[in-house]
Amino acid sequence: MERYWKVLRLFWSTAIAAELEYRLNFLVTALISLGGLAGSLFGLFLFYRTGYEFEGWSWEAALLVLGLFTVLQGFSAMVLIPNLNKIVNQVQQGTLDFVLLKPISSQFWLSTRIISPWGLPDVVFGLVMIGYGGSRLGLGWADYGLAILPLALGAITLYSLWFMLGATSIWFVKIYNVTEVLRGLLEAGRFPIAAYPVAYRVFFTFVVPVAFLTTVPAQTMLGQGGRGWLLASALLALVLLVVANRFWRFALRFYTSASS
Amino acid sequence: MQKALKVARVMLSVYYAYMVEYRAELVFWVLSGTFPLILMGLWVEAAQGDQFDLSPTDLVRYFLAVFLVRQFTVVWVIWEFEREVVEGRLSPYLLQPVDPAWRHFFSHVSERFARLPFAFLLVGLFLLLYPYAAWWPRLDNLLLGLLATVLAFCLRFVMQYTFALAAFWTERASALEQFWFLLYTFLSGMVAPLSLFPDAVREVVLWTPFPYLIYFPASLLINRPENVVRGFAAMILWSALFWGLNRWLWRRGLRQYSGMGA
């Protein structure tokens, strides 16, 4: 365990050192996140401007959901995209061999090798939005604290789904864009799940569990929703994490390396 | 003229063959464009209470049309062009007697034919979910809408190709496109029909190229014609503007280009 911490520290310090060579990039990505933020707010405003409300969600509560979405977006830009979207390259070029030879878990290596600081602006803007919505609703530190657990569970769920899709590249080398489908569907998490028609709600709860990524943490923060959702969220994260690991080991049995 | 036609035909068939080779990949690209369909759900639910100017039926039609227009106008030339410049692979293309722009253009066009069957399939699926919304565009609207879609594709292609030319000077030309894409996402009518925008915002947005890329063709297709003359005029003007800029940058850029790795 301690070895993994040490390796992780080395991974991330080298990755950050490498990325900081491109400092202008930081300004560019910050500007892009700011633009994205303005756009998301505008999109939400279009719904609320005539007095319509998502069922049971005031403007401030909807801001919490949007803020949580932005935080998760930043998280995926920092960890998921730079690592998991590269699995396909490793398979294509056969460099996965080197990873498999190393004396640590290959899943760990593939999931944590790189951290990209360019997701940071999104995380910060998301937190600011949560802070703004929360202060308008009179939330205290305890409420924010309660939301950390479901948010972390949501992040684990997201990671597991993403990793499993990435792992399918062992079979289908050319399908590097399958994660784009997931990303497209995740956009639904910008809005509370109650805003959707019934068919959509079922789909986004049971098929692609978007509801657990943003709506459940926001409900916990607001003190709604109850324990049932939290329990379901924990169960989902745990099951998916285990399944992802098993799936990876299963997939590796079919890995034949490149050009040999 | 005859030579040009021949070149076009050959390029189309070659790139079509490329595209259908990776059908599974295409299906995933189609599925990754579900953003309008997600918003359709939100707006249909929102419109149940009659607080907006549009009925749920209108909104289903609108977003299905948006989805189709979007599928028809997807452009990715900047990612390919950027790589070609950075890796120096542009050099051999410069020796050919055809401007490399056409190569990209025809690869996009032929991809449309491979992609559309899947897109229509998905629309059919959603019509099963909302059977009451099925509609036929009137013939004149259909023709105008198709023309507008084709023009929208050309405009978007020219715009993105113009940004791509920045790759001659910087390695991160795609950042320009990322920023432009944000404006495109939120102002083109993909998140909501422009008639639901606040009046002041709409008036400003109508002067930008964005609503003509999605909102205008989609409105024509669902028989809610906008100001047709203004729409086509705006598209042609913006295309001409970017075309001019594009050719100017291309000439300057070639002087700058050093053929990295060659």
Side-chain angles (χ1 to χ4, degrees), chain A residues 25 28 31-32 35-36 39-40 46-47 49-52 174-177 180-181 184 191 195-197 200-201, chain B residues 22 25 28-29 32 35 37-38 40-43 45-46 51-52 126 130 172 175 178-179 182 186 192 196-198:
Chain A
N25 240 350
V28 173
L31 269 176
I32 291 175
S40 320
L46 287 179
F47 287 97
R49 119 193 136 78
T50 55
Y52 168 76
K174 214 14 219 179
I175 304 186
Y176 63 92
N177 56 353
E180 290 296 313
V181 179
F191 306 96
Y196 291 94
Y200 280 66
R201 269 184 245 177
Chain B
Y22 301 114
E25 196 191 4
F28 287 123
W29 281 128
S32 66
F35 190 56
L37 300 177
I38 291 171
M40 176 169 96
L42 288 167
W43 279 110
E45 187 73 5
Q51 290 182 28
F52 297 97
F126 269 85
Y130 298 105
R172 283 265 298 162
Q178 278 173 335
F179 205 78
L182 278 177
F186 293 107
L196 297 178
F197 281 22

Side-chain angles (χ1 to χ4, degrees), chain B residues 79-223:
Chain B
W79 315 102
E80 293 198 339
F81 190 84
E82 194 182 46
R83 256 212 325 273
E84 279 180 8
V85 171
V86 172
E87 293 173 6
R89 283 188 293 129
L90 181 65
S91 311
Y93 294 135
L94 289 176
L95 292 175
Q96 294 181 348
V98 182
D99 191 299
W102 293 109
R103 187 175 285 282
H104 292 296
F105 182 78
F106 283 114
S107 112
H108 281 71
V109 172
S110 57
E111 196 257 8
R112 294 304 101 100
F113 293 107
R115 173 194 285 258
L116 280 183
F118 302 123
F120 278 114
L121 214 71
L122 207 60
V123 170
L125 208 70
F126 269 85
L127 283 178
L128 287 181
L129 198 60
Y130 298 105
Y132 55 84
W135 86 102
W136 281 110
R138 282 211 323 269
L139 188 63
D140 53 336
N141 281 335
L142 180 67
L143 292 177
L144 283 175
L146 284 181
L147 184 64
T149 313
V150 172
L151 270 177
F153 164 66
C154 294
L155 174 56
R156 201 158 136 59
F157 184 84
V158 170
M159 286 196 299
Q160 206 185 87
Y161 194 59
T162 307
F163 292 136
L165 294 176
F168 286 125
W169 290 275
T170 157
E171 283 177 23
R172 283 265 298 162
S174 49
L176 278 172
E177 169 61 19
Q178 278 173 335
F179 205 78
W180 197 251
F181 187 78
L182 278 177
L183 294 173
Y184 168 70
T185 307
F186 293 107
L187 302 181
S188 65
M190 213 184 321
V191 291
L194 256 69
S195 36
L196 297 178
F197 281 22
D199 291 332
V201 178
R202 186 173 54 239
E203 283 311 310
V204 175
V205 170
L206 280 174
W207 287 98
T208 67
F210 303 110
Y212 307 103
L213 297 173
I214 296 273
Y215 174 70
F216 178 63
S219 308
L220 282 171
L221 287 175
I222 60 162
N223 299 324

Side-chain angles (χ1 to χ4, degrees), chain A residues 79-100:
Chain A
V79 186
L80 301 184
I81 295 175
N83 288 304
L84 304 184
N85 287 12
K86 291 229 175 78
I87 297 179
V88 66
N89 294 351
Q90 309 258 17
V91 175
Q92 210 166 23
Q93 297 164 6
T95 45
L96 187 59
D97 296 5
F98 307 132
V99 179
L100 295 176

